[in-house]
Amino acid sequence: MAQLMGKKIVVVGGSSGIGLGVAAAALERGAELVLVGRSQDKLLQAQRSLGGNGRVKTVTADMTRQAEIAAAFAGIGTFDHLVSTAGTPPPGDPIGETDAEMVRRFVDDKLIGAVLVAKYAVRTLTAGGSMTFTSGINKDRPPVPGGAVVSAIAGAFSYFARALALELAPSRVNIVSPGWVDTPMFDELVGEAKAGYFAEMAARLPVGRIAAPSDVAPAYLYAMESEFMTGETIHIDGGQRLI
Ligand SMILES: NC(=O)c1ccc[n+]([C@@H]2O[C@H](COP(=O)([O-])OP(=O)(O)OC[C@H]3O[C@@H](n4cnc5c(N)ncnc54)[C@H](OP(=O)(O)O)[C@@H]3O)[C@@H](O)[C@H]2O)c1
């Protein structure tokens, strides 16, 4: 297993939720971090909450805007591992009520964003390093009705990683697919209904509770550390695919 001590890790989406959990776990392993996100306020707040004695830097960029993400990676320079958890809440309309503009925005935010991150990250990623992107439980247990778009886009990530793993070898490319995680995105999605949804799901899950970001962060660490894993989708969902 590769050590993360002293390695430079870029976390796109590191200012909140799962990405912030990954940043905290990597910091404990002695890594140096660069957090990337759109909101400078959120980035600075994350940097303060992490501490890290100067080992956490921030870069403001929107991954869907080529010029911004190109400049971000040019400024970051050489690094060892990329983690991307960036994304926005998915559309959830039944297929007969699809809002095409909303779907295009989601595809742009989630899939095209990841493509652009990979495009510019590859220029300064150390050979033999890794890229880890994020999909999710919606590809395996889509909400019904309204889950077709998010399921298709989340599912696409596994195939993105398989092809990219071949193209970028010896660097490695993997996907982490979490189940429900208690993050600000969930608040944004369901608001006050969250407590009820979580109680109901926790009672059904084999592990008996909803994940915190710290519960799924080890899957990202494993994807970075395991020198023998590439093109893979790691599921970390408390058994949610089984119910
Ligand atoms: N939470 C769950 O239950 C769950 C389950 C499975 C999969 N996922 C997936 O995991 C990913 C992370 O979710 P989360 O719950 O951690 O969400 P979150 O708390 O809302 O965090 C999203 C992060 O992505 C950044 N971001 C969003 N759009 C961006 C863009 N265009 N460019 C750069 N940064 C951007 C956000 O910062 P700014 O807003 O400042 O840009 C923030 O740091 C999402 O893709 C989500 O679909 C989540």
Side-chain angles (χ1 to χ4, degrees), residues 6-25:
K7 298 292 181 191
K8 188 168 165 185
I9 302 173
V10 178
V11 186
V12 184
S15 64
S16 175
I18 298 171
L20 183 55
V22 174

Side-chain angles (χ1 to χ4, degrees), residues 20-74:
L20 183 55
V22 174
L27 201 60
E28 271 184 29
R29 292 277 222 279
E32 290 179 18
L33 289 151
V34 183
L35 312 181
V36 181
R38 294 167 302 181
S39 154
Q40 193 180 22
D41 283 355
K42 275 159 75 171
L43 286 166
L44 294 179
Q45 204 179 327
Q47 189 183 39
R48 268 195 302 277
S49 76
L50 288 167
N53 290 325
R55 281 190 288 130
V56 182
K57 304 212 164 19
T58 64
V59 176
T60 309
D62 182 335
M63 66 175 178
T64 66
R65 298 188 175 169
Q66 272 205 81
E68 286 186 27
I69 201 72
F73 279 103

